[in-house]
Amino acid sequence: MKILLVGSGGREHSLAWALAASENCNALYCAPGNAGIESCAECVDIGVEEIDALVGFAKEKSIDLVVVGPEGPLVAGLADALKAENIDVFGPDAKAAQLEGSKGFMKDLCAKYDIPTAAYGRFTDLEAATKFINEQPGNVVVKADGLAAGKGVIICDSKEEAIKAAEEMLSGEAFGAAGAEVVIEEFMDGEELSYFALADGKTILPLTSAQDHKRVFDGDAGPNTGGMGAYSPAHLMSAELEEKIIHRIIEPTVKAMAAEGCPFTGVLYAGLMIVDGEPKLIEYNVRFGDPECQPMMMRLQGDLLEILQAGAQGRLEELSGKVTWSEKTALCVVMAAKGYPGSYAKNTPINNLDLTMEVKDVTVFHAGTAHDENGQLVSVGGRVLGVTALGVTIAEAQRRAYMAVDMIDWSEGFCRRDIGWRALEAEKAA
Ligand code: AMP
Ligand code: GLY
């Protein structure tokens, strides 16, 4: 089979790594890819938003399956454009991608189909939003309806702060068109985890759980980022909780989407708040997480290509019970450019990655990397490397990951030193 993978992050490097290992993978292309992906795929200079060019390339190369990493092109209709040319694609069409693309759409679906989530209101008008905020008994969270690169969520400690956030979003000042509508919801107090499942329009294939670290600094301090590290499985997960997540949230969503005339194909990434042992949906993403995908791919036992193709072709039922995960924990430490998530330098040299091969069960996935004209590996993005390790315990996975991190020579980079801390505390207490 010939595969085209769309994206250029650490998530896509881990997907490329797993796809390339499939015996049915005869050619793997990645658009646009990065310096790490070059080691397992042929990188093609087409941007993720260039829908016509991506479809043209897939036709020209007779691609059998397109796997889409990020949400942007899905919301913009890449899957629709590929299907119109009879090309199999793993990822939802634009209508189904609204689960991530519009927070209001997701909330209305939950309300209609009784899927547990925070109470909410949708507003385009500041006066109505202010009235709603003032009527709420507790604190609220204000969200831009559309895609805002993970930044469109403001957790407010007072009504004044909430009204100000709504005003800045609705005026277009904060997030442009993405904030023209806002969702205001009840603040949920609990512990978070992420759960992933595949869907092919009708059948679901539960995958596994992971835990992200969104804040930039140790101890979960500082501004939100795309994710500074992750581990899988999440320490909060239990068989009982997984059953609840599948039966109360994932399955009803897939049924609801089909009933609404927009069957969902792809990965459902559920961001969940566990409140008194009960899962509540915070948000849906319609793709794998970055960096959550990196530890998940290290735990996956089985053929990713077979799994994603079955998803794209509506055959997930055939895989029921066949996808298994290592019992080990995988943990990914993100190395980012100093200054991220604010401004940062680019084209800074990175050396000694080859030394990390000495550390057992470690894989370094690349995100914002490239080779310069002299062949030197350099950083070209905010999040640059995802150093990922397997361990029998989370402590072992963490020790291996940081051992590899400390071998990498990149003076302009930094990372959190406490990835996995909640799970480590739980492991110690057990
Ligand atoms: P999102 O972009 O929707 O994932 O939101 C970013 C983060 O905001 C989540 O990971 C949660 O930590 C937090 N969050 C979002 N909605 C709520 C809510 N209703 N209650 C508490 N925390 C929330
Ligand atoms: N790591 C968070 C995300 O992928 O959305």
Side-chain angles (χ1 to χ4, degrees):
M1 282 179 64
K2 293 184 184 174
I3 326 293
L4 170 63
L5 173 65
V6 177
S8 64
R11 167 181 51 211
E12 286 76 23
H13 189 185
S14 68
L15 291 171
W17 176 81
L19 287 168
S22 166
E23 58 183 53
N24 291 324
C25 180
N26 306 116
L28 177 61
Y29 300 94
C30 186
N34 62 40
I37 294 174
E38 277 169 16
S39 64
C40 46
E42 185 178 323
C43 293
V44 192
D45 190 16
I46 305 175
V48 301
E49 306 284 349
E50 294 176 55
I51 292 185
D52 291 345
L54 290 168
V55 175
F57 179 84
K59 278 168 69 178
E60 180 198 319
K61 295 286 183 189
S62 308
I63 294 290
D64 298 297
L65 177 69
V66 179
V67 177
V68 186
E71 66 279 12
L74 294 167
V75 172
L78 176 57
D80 309 63
L82 289 162
K83 280 187 210 161
E85 298 290 343
N86 290 317
I87 299 167
D88 282 345
V89 51
F90 181 79
D93 59 21
K95 256 171 105 183
Q98 287 304 297
L99 268 184
E100 177 168 359
S102 165
K103 293 195 160 44
F105 173 91
M106 181 283 261
K107 298 296 288 188
D108 286 354
L109 191 90
C110 288
K112 184 168 172 188
Y113 292 90
D114 218 9
I115 296 165
T117 184
Y120 75 108
R122 296 178 72 165
F123 304 94
T124 51
D125 166 70
L126 183 61
E127 207 175 312
T130 304
K131 182 163 177 283
F132 182 82
I133 291 167
N134 284 325
E135 282 166 5
Q136 297 313 302
N139 283 339
V140 298
V141 181
V142 180
K143 302 184 172 185
D145 179 73
L147 294 182
K151 297 186 183 114
V153 173
I154 312 286
I155 296 171
C156 305
D157 293 324
S158 68
K159 306 252 184 249
E160 293 70 39
E161 194 187 336
I163 293 164
K164 184 163 165 277
E167 186 177 2
E168 284 173 4
M169 286 187 198
L170 290 170
S171 69
E173 188 189 320
F175 304 109
E181 179 172 336
V182 295
V183 168
I184 299 175
E185 49 179 64
E186 154 205 18
F187 175 80
M188 297 185 285
D189 203 4
E191 274 207 81
E192 283 183 63
L193 67 82
S194 301
Y195 192 76
F196 298 82
L198 300 192
D200 65 4
K202 47 190 193 297
T203 304
I204 70 157
L205 182 75
L207 297 180
T208 188
S209 62
Q211 180 80 56
D212 190 11
H213 298 61
K214 285 211 167 79
R215 303 297 190 107
V216 70
F217 298 127
D218 284 17
D220 294 325
N224 265 330
T225 68
M228 293 300 291
Y231 55 89
S232 172
H235 75 282
L236 287 180
M237 196 41 122
S238 64
E240 189 193 357
L241 183 57
E242 186 165 16
E243 281 288 295
K244 288 182 188 170
I245 294 168
I246 292 169
H247 294 307
R248 295 187 196 164
I249 296 179
I250 307 288
E251 277 176 357
T253 301
V254 172
K255 280 203 184 110
M257 291 296 281
E260 292 293 310
C262 40
F264 186 89
T265 297
V267 197
L268 265 183
Y269 159 170
L272 300 160
M273 190 71 83
I274 313 304
V275 185
D276 300 326
E278 302 299 318
K280 286 183 157 198
L281 184 67
I282 303 173
E283 61 157 359
Y284 269 130
N285 296 308
V286 299
R287 50 169 176 85
F288 284 105
D290 189 348
E292 295 91 322
C293 192
Q294 291 84 311
M296 284 170 58
M297 288 305 118
M298 283 194 73
R299 288 185 57 229
L300 176 66
Q301 292 169 332
D303 184 327
L304 181 68
L305 176 51
E306 185 189 359
I307 297 167
L308 300 188
Q309 190 187 29
Q313 295 179 341
R315 297 186 289 101
L316 281 183
E317 216 170 14
E318 294 171 16
L319 295 181
S320 175
K322 289 195 189 145
V323 175
T324 57
W325 301 87
S326 164
E327 295 286 316
K328 291 182 181 173
T329 294
L331 181 141
C332 172
V333 176
V334 169
M335 297 182 77
K338 283 180 185 165
Y340 173 81
S343 58
Y344 50 81
K346 285 191 181 174
N347 297 310
T348 60
I350 305 168
N351 289 307
N352 292 352
L353 281 194
D354 47 335
L355 297 184
T356 63
M357 286 192 286
E358 289 165 19
V359 190
K360 188 170 175 316
D361 286 341
V362 165
T363 306
V364 179
F365 295 111
H366 291 226
T369 63
H371 287 113
D372 71 8
E373 62 276 14
N374 303 317
Q376 167 68 47
L377 185 70
V378 293
S379 68
V380 291
R383 292 190 295 168
V384 173
L385 299 170
V387 181
T388 312
L390 274 174
V392 172
T393 59
I394 182 120
E396 184 176 65
Q398 194 203 50
R399 197 164 53 242
R400 286 180 177 158
Y402 282 113
M403 199 186 288
V405 162
D406 290 335
M407 290 171 160
I408 296 170
D409 172 17
W410 179 32
S411 59
E412 291 307 308
F414 78 100
C415 66
R416 275 181 64 162
R417 300 294 314 189
D418 66 343
I419 299 304
W421 69 272
R422 279 179 211 277
L424 273 166
E425 281 185 4
E427 202 169 79
K428 268 190 221 143

